[in-house]
Amino acid sequence: MPESDCLFCKIRDGLIPAKVVYQDEDCLAFEDINPQAPTHVLFIPRRHIPTVNDLTAEDREVVGSLYIGAAKLARERGFADTGYRVVMNTQRDAGQTVFHIHLHLLAGRPLHWPPG
């Protein structure tokens, strides 16, 4: 999918509204429109990367910023001690529906294993 058709790129560019809750130079985070937990936030890199399979060694810092942002928001919202889940789905069979990598932060209820 070209970047011009990417839902998350359009959110990043302000073409589609979203409730942005965190941002830094490498990433943007916003509330999921179909939350699976009381807190369900998506962290995306500002640069379009379709799937985890497309990552290269040069993307280490960008991917790290997604996790650092998620941990910071979890602390701010009071979930660092009680627990939260971060997950990144890759390809359709794993549940990826938007092909721009994104890290899900889920918290605010007991999260059982295995999921679904």
Side-chain angles (χ1 to χ4, degrees):
M1 165 190 309
E3 185 175 335
S4 62
D5 294 333
C6 175
L7 173 68
F8 290 169
C9 288
K10 290 177 181 179
I11 290 172
R12 173 201 67 201
D13 295 342
L15 301 173
I16 295 176
K19 185 177 178 190
V20 174
V21 296
Y22 177 85
Q23 57 185 314
D24 63 27
E25 68 182 43
D26 293 318
C27 77
L28 178 73
F30 47 88
E31 301 284 349
D32 193 300
I33 62 168
N34 184 27
Q36 302 300 303
T39 290
H40 189 168
V41 176
L42 303 177
F43 287 77
I44 67 166
R46 291 188 183 273
R47 186 167 61 79
H48 182 81
I49 304 170
T51 74
V52 170
N53 296 331
D54 299 300
L55 292 170
T56 66
E58 288 76 35
D59 297 316
R60 278 182 277 216
E61 195 168 315
V62 170
V63 173
S65 74
L66 303 178
Y67 282 88
I68 290 167
K72 182 177 180 182
L73 189 65
R75 278 191 303 277
E76 288 174 4
R77 293 194 175 184
F79 299 115
D81 293 332
T82 58
Y84 59 95
R85 178 172 293 159
V86 290
V87 65
M88 192 177 291
N89 302 319
T90 305
Q91 301 291 20
R92 292 198 193 286
D93 282 355
Q96 186 177 8
T97 57
V98 177
F99 288 83
H100 181 130
I101 64 168
H102 50 286
L103 184 70
H104 296 258
L105 167 64
L106 300 130
R109 69 169 174 84
L111 299 166
H112 303 286
W113 195 262

mmCIF file of all heavy atoms in Angstrom, residues 9-10 17 21 24 31 44 56 62 92 97 102 108 113:
data_model
loop_
_atom_site.group_PDB
_atom_site.id
_atom_site.type_symbol
_atom_site.label_atom_id
_atom_site.label_comp_id
_atom_site.label_asym_id
_atom_site.label_seq_id
_atom_site.Cartn_x
_atom_site.Cartn_y
_atom_site.Cartn_z
ATOM 1 N N CYS A 9 -0.695 7.177 8.283
ATOM 2 C CA CYS A 9 0.030 8.326 7.725
ATOM 3 C C CYS A 9 -0.893 9.536 7.646
ATOM 4 O O CYS A 9 -0.466 10.666 7.895
ATOM 5 C CB CYS A 9 0.600 7.990 6.354
ATOM 6 S SG CYS A 9 2.004 6.844 6.410
ATOM 7 N N LYS A 10 -2.162 9.296 7.315
ATOM 8 C CA LYS A 10 -3.127 10.400 7.258
ATOM 9 C C LYS A 10 -3.382 10.975 8.648
ATOM 10 O O LYS A 10 -3.530 12.186 8.803
ATOM 11 C CB LYS A 10 -4.428 9.928 6.614
ATOM 12 C CG LYS A 10 -4.268 9.663 5.126
ATOM 13 C CD LYS A 10 -5.553 9.132 4.519
ATOM 14 C CE LYS A 10 -5.342 8.853 3.030
ATOM 15 N NZ LYS A 10 -6.569 8.318 2.423
ATOM 16 N N PRO A 17 -8.699 13.038 11.961
ATOM 17 C CA PRO A 17 -8.562 13.359 13.390
ATOM 18 C C PRO A 17 -8.321 12.119 14.244
ATOM 19 O O PRO A 17 -8.789 11.025 13.923
ATOM 20 C CB PRO A 17 -9.896 14.019 13.738
ATOM 21 C CG PRO A 17 -10.859 13.534 12.707
ATOM 22 C CD PRO A 17 -10.061 13.249 11.465
ATOM 23 N N VAL A 21 -2.251 11.287 22.321
ATOM 24 C CA VAL A 21 -1.949 11.294 23.756
ATOM 25 C C VAL A 21 -0.455 11.346 24.045
ATOM 26 O O VAL A 21 -0.054 11.515 25.195
ATOM 27 C CB VAL A 21 -2.593 10.082 24.467
ATOM 28 C CG1 VAL A 21 -4.110 10.160 24.393
ATOM 29 C CG2 VAL A 21 -2.095 8.771 23.885
ATOM 30 N N ASP A 24 6.689 12.297 20.175
ATOM 31 C CA ASP A 24 8.071 12.759 20.254
ATOM 32 C C ASP A 24 8.578 12.842 18.819
ATOM 33 O O ASP A 24 7.782 12.716 17.875
ATOM 34 C CB ASP A 24 8.927 11.867 21.172
ATOM 35 C CG ASP A 24 9.071 10.431 20.699
ATOM 36 O OD1 ASP A 24 8.988 10.171 19.465
ATOM 37 O OD2 ASP A 24 9.277 9.547 21.541
ATOM 38 N N GLU A 31 -5.398 7.271 20.843
ATOM 39 C CA GLU A 31 -6.356 6.303 21.355
ATOM 40 C C GLU A 31 -6.885 5.442 20.206
ATOM 41 O O GLU A 31 -7.200 5.952 19.125
ATOM 42 C CB GLU A 31 -7.533 7.010 22.033
ATOM 43 C CG GLU A 31 -7.142 7.900 23.200
ATOM 44 C CD GLU A 31 -6.812 7.141 24.475
ATOM 45 O OE1 GLU A 31 -7.072 5.918 24.549
ATOM 46 O OE2 GLU A 31 -6.289 7.773 25.402
ATOM 47 N N ILE A 44 2.781 4.726 16.797
ATOM 48 C CA ILE A 44 3.249 4.528 15.428
ATOM 49 C C ILE A 44 4.538 5.313 15.199
ATOM 50 O O ILE A 44 4.713 6.391 15.761
ATOM 51 C CB ILE A 44 2.191 4.951 14.385
ATOM 52 C CG1 ILE A 44 1.946 6.460 14.406
ATOM 53 C CG2 ILE A 44 0.890 4.176 14.569
ATOM 54 C CD1 ILE A 44 1.196 7.005 13.206
ATOM 55 N N THR A 56 14.685 -2.730 9.381
ATOM 56 C CA THR A 56 16.109 -2.955 9.159
ATOM 57 C C THR A 56 16.855 -2.548 10.425
ATOM 58 O O THR A 56 16.276 -1.959 11.346
ATOM 59 C CB THR A 56 16.628 -2.114 7.962
ATOM 60 O OG1 THR A 56 16.547 -0.726 8.322
ATOM 61 C CG2 THR A 56 15.826 -2.384 6.696
ATOM 62 N N VAL A 62 14.023 3.910 16.191
ATOM 63 C CA VAL A 62 12.607 4.253 15.998
ATOM 64 C C VAL A 62 11.716 3.260 16.739
ATOM 65 O O VAL A 62 10.792 3.648 17.455
ATOM 66 C CB VAL A 62 12.262 4.292 14.490
ATOM 67 C CG1 VAL A 62 10.758 4.396 14.276
ATOM 68 C CG2 VAL A 62 12.968 5.452 13.815
ATOM 69 N N ARG A 92 -1.784 -10.239 8.188
ATOM 70 C CA ARG A 92 -3.226 -10.442 8.411
ATOM 71 C C ARG A 92 -3.541 -11.566 9.401
ATOM 72 O O ARG A 92 -4.430 -11.413 10.231
ATOM 73 C CB ARG A 92 -3.931 -10.698 7.091
ATOM 74 C CG ARG A 92 -3.930 -9.472 6.208
ATOM 75 C CD ARG A 92 -4.961 -9.539 5.105
ATOM 76 N NE ARG A 92 -4.740 -8.506 4.115
ATOM 77 C CZ ARG A 92 -5.006 -7.223 4.279
ATOM 78 N NH1 ARG A 92 -5.502 -6.787 5.397
ATOM 79 N NH2 ARG A 92 -4.751 -6.354 3.317
ATOM 80 N N THR A 97 -4.307 -5.006 10.646
ATOM 81 C CA THR A 97 -5.301 -4.499 9.703
ATOM 82 C C THR A 97 -4.875 -3.189 9.047
ATOM 83 O O THR A 97 -5.397 -2.829 8.004
ATOM 84 C CB THR A 97 -6.672 -4.292 10.391
ATOM 85 O OG1 THR A 97 -6.509 -3.400 11.487
ATOM 86 C CG2 THR A 97 -7.241 -5.627 10.884
ATOM 87 N N HIS A 102 2.585 -0.634 14.291
ATOM 88 C CA HIS A 102 2.051 0.070 15.461
ATOM 89 C C HIS A 102 2.105 -0.842 16.668
ATOM 90 O O HIS A 102 1.878 -2.042 16.579
ATOM 91 C CB HIS A 102 0.630 0.582 15.209
ATOM 92 C CG HIS A 102 -0.330 -0.418 14.673
ATOM 93 N ND1 HIS A 102 -0.284 -0.861 13.364
ATOM 94 C CD2 HIS A 102 -1.369 -1.046 15.257
ATOM 95 C CE1 HIS A 102 -1.257 -1.736 13.173
ATOM 96 N NE2 HIS A 102 -1.933 -1.876 14.307
ATOM 97 N N GLY A 108 -5.606 -1.496 32.176
ATOM 98 C CA GLY A 108 -6.825 -1.089 32.857
ATOM 99 C C GLY A 108 -7.782 -2.215 33.171
ATOM 100 O O GLY A 108 -8.855 -1.985 33.727
ATOM 101 N N TRP A 113 -3.666 -14.743 29.411
ATOM 102 C CA TRP A 113 -2.812 -15.354 28.408
ATOM 103 C C TRP A 113 -3.248 -16.792 28.220
ATOM 104 O O TRP A 113 -3.539 -17.470 29.196
ATOM 105 C CB TRP A 113 -1.342 -15.288 28.846
ATOM 106 C CG TRP A 113 -0.433 -15.578 27.711
ATOM 107 C CD1 TRP A 113 0.172 -16.761 27.415
ATOM 108 C CD2 TRP A 113 -0.044 -14.658 26.695
ATOM 109 N NE1 TRP A 113 0.909 -16.649 26.281
ATOM 110 C CE2 TRP A 113 0.789 -15.361 25.809
ATOM 111 C CE3 TRP A 113 -0.343 -13.334 26.418
ATOM 112 C CZ2 TRP A 113 1.350 -14.776 24.669
ATOM 113 C CZ3 TRP A 113 0.222 -12.760 25.302
ATOM 114 C CH2 TRP A 113 1.053 -13.478 24.452
#
